[in-house]
Amino acid sequence: MRMKSFKSTAWILPQPVLIIGTYDKNGKPNAMNAAWGGQWDMHDIMISLGSHQTTDNLAVNPEFTVAFATAETMVASDYVGIVSGRKTPEKMEKAGWTIEKAPNVNAPLFKEFPMTLECRVKEKMDESETGYYLVAEIVNILCDEKYLAEDGKPDVEKMKLIIFDPVHHTYIQLGDTVGKAFADGKQLV
Ligand SMILES: Cc1cc2nc3c(=O)[nH]c(=O)nc-3n(C[C@H](O)[C@H](O)[C@H](O)COP(=O)(O)O)c2cc1C
């Protein structure tokens, strides 16, 4: 077998497509796309953030939402990742999402997304003028009832979630369930 080597880079696979929703000091909603994030602890998430309208907003209002992007929301999800609310005040009108205040945090909820975390900032690690690593508590998880499975829990297969491919800079839709975790491996025990 021949293996090709590549220089060290941010190629963890797969990466999520997280849409972070925040309010500015006047309650104006904003959203940005973030791929560099994941679970930090049982009730906490981590996101690596540069300096954005989003971080300006979190400085005055440390609560936010994290929605998981889908095939249907893909174009606007990419848009909020390439345009800044700092320069484009009409960013959210262009994104076109239906916005409500989230029930448990002071942050916007984008109704087009099947599942959204409501979060509160806990810690900003290695903070500098170029950004920080955000650790935040998951206060609550919202799932549109259309996307619930028979057991009453979120049905990921129904959501048509997308992931970010950092190699080719593409979005890929999640496919089918292929196995049961903590179970299928027992065949080899
Ligand atoms: C696929 C993708 C992934 C991104 N991931 C991150 C990320 O993890 N952290 C970050 O700070 N910016 C990330 N960005 C860039 C921000 O989304 C972008 O700078 C955005 O314009 C910031 O918006 P705002 O200034 O309105 O908050 C990503 C953009 C795209 C398209």
Side-chain angles (χ1 to χ4, degrees), residues 3 20 38 44 85 95 136 151 155 176:
M3 300 284 270
I20 306 175
D44 296 346
D151 66 358
D155 186 334
D176 303 326

Side-chain angles (χ1 to χ4, degrees), residues 15-18 20 22 30-37 47-57 77-88 91 130 132 164 169-171:
Q15 288 191 333
V17 183
L18 308 174
I20 306 175
T22 53
N30 190 56
M32 71 165 263
N33 180 327
W36 290 20
I47 306 172
S48 170
L49 288 176
S51 172
H52 304 296
Q53 179 66 51
T54 299
T55 44
D56 296 347
N57 292 359
S77 294
D78 192 54
Y79 170 77
V80 300
I82 51 185
V83 166
S84 173
R86 280 179 178 166
K87 289 199 179 137
T88 309
K91 180 173 177 179
T130 58
Y132 51 83
F164 173 59
H169 286 191
T170 52
Y171 297 109

